Amino acid sequence: MKKKIEIYTRLIKWKIAAFSMLDKYILKQLLEVFILGVIIFTSIIFASETFTQLIKQITQFGIPFNIAMMMVVLNLPQVFVMTIPISTLFATVMTVNKLSLNSEITVLRACGIGISRIARPIFAFAIVMTIVSFLINEFIVPATSNQAKYLAVYSLQRKHVPDGRMNFTLNENGKDGKLKRLFYVQKCEDKTLNNITVLDLSNEDTVQIIQAKFGRTDNSGWIFDGGVMYTLSPTEKVLNTTLFENSTINFGIENMDSLMKEEASQYNFFKLMKFIKKNRKNPDILEKFKLELQVQLYDKLALPVTTFALALVGIPLAITPPRVRYNRGFLFSVMIIFVYYVIRAFSLNLGETKAISPFFAAWLPVISIAVIGWILYYKKAHTIS
């Protein structure tokens, strides 16, 4: 009797050790591919969206390159929230496909270890990534988004003249790309601007030239001490000359509206809910914008859960039939990501146009992928192939 107990104990310990080794083996491969996926997809999103936004901020708003780069870095957590689900899918499909091609899944199933047991560490990894994505979206993204917006406004208001710089010029272009204002500062020393000239072309009917001996910048705009303002007609005829001892001008204040526009990324789930409730009957806020915020409110919960749904659909599709001897992992990843984002874009647009409820608009892509994934996974896990 004691010998039987010892044998069973050893057998259980051996199985636990084997399962633990299996988990570590799969998780190691998942993590390696996941990190690669984050790098690849973050680079793609940066190159397609963030870099375009960076160029727009530099050219349209006159934001210096170094500050624009800081804003890009601050917006990276928001990009990570998007790349974590697709990187988890990429890691799942590539890992499972590799196990299938190497006949490791066949060997494990021959030893009595089913698909459900093989998928357990993958599901655990997907759940952890879901929580990580939610936490980043809730606590890190609002802080970094607000800081990026503060930097943009700070740069726009102060025009960011570097201290110690001589013969500094700065162009401000309009939305059409044409020159709106030209700033010239002979010298900036101890945060004091010396010998300033501003050419203002923002008004089509007149041209203004402002010259001042000294000046400085703060949150209220450019402050000029002891200067003169010339107003010229398009034919260069002087219409008016104004002398002043002290004058504050808010250059670029018309660009504040686009920079200061409220965005869902500035708030976590509960703060965004309060903001929507507070402004539900505000006539100054467009109805379309309110709908967009409501859709994005529910999307703050739906997007992290997408991580688990994509892993669920990725496992059965990645298990290669015996006759197929090539890696289909990357192909399936691209296909699933494309289908998901088509459904997501279509659903969010329906929600923002009030065709469906904001809650359903945010959750429809997740539910669709999860239902398809569960059907495929159930067939694969409970069918001997």
Side-chain angles (χ1 to χ4, degrees), residues 147 178 257 314:
Q147 186 63 29
K178 293 182 179 179
D257 292 338

Side-chain angles (χ1 to χ4, degrees), residues 112-161:
I113 301 175
I115 298 296
S116 298
R117 177 61 189 88
I118 297 170
R120 193 181 301 174
I122 299 174
F123 287 143
F125 182 81
I127 291 171
V128 171
M129 288 300 106
T130 299
I131 296 171
V132 169
S133 178
F134 176 77
L135 293 176
I136 292 174
N137 206 22
E138 279 294 288
F139 300 104
I140 299 178
V141 171
T144 54
S145 296
N146 284 319
Q147 186 63 29
K149 184 163 290 190
Y150 169 79
L151 281 175
V153 173
Y154 169 84
S155 178
L156 188 61
Q157 287 176 328
R158 300 199 173 203
K159 296 301 179 189
H160 196 72
V161 182

Side-chain angles (χ1 to χ4, degrees), residues 159-178:
K159 296 301 179 189
H160 196 72
V161 182
D163 202 31
R165 186 75 176 269
M166 297 183 67
N167 297 322
F168 179 81
T169 58
L170 177 66
N171 298 341
E172 182 184 335
N173 298 326
K175 293 182 179 179
D176 55 0
K178 293 182 179 179

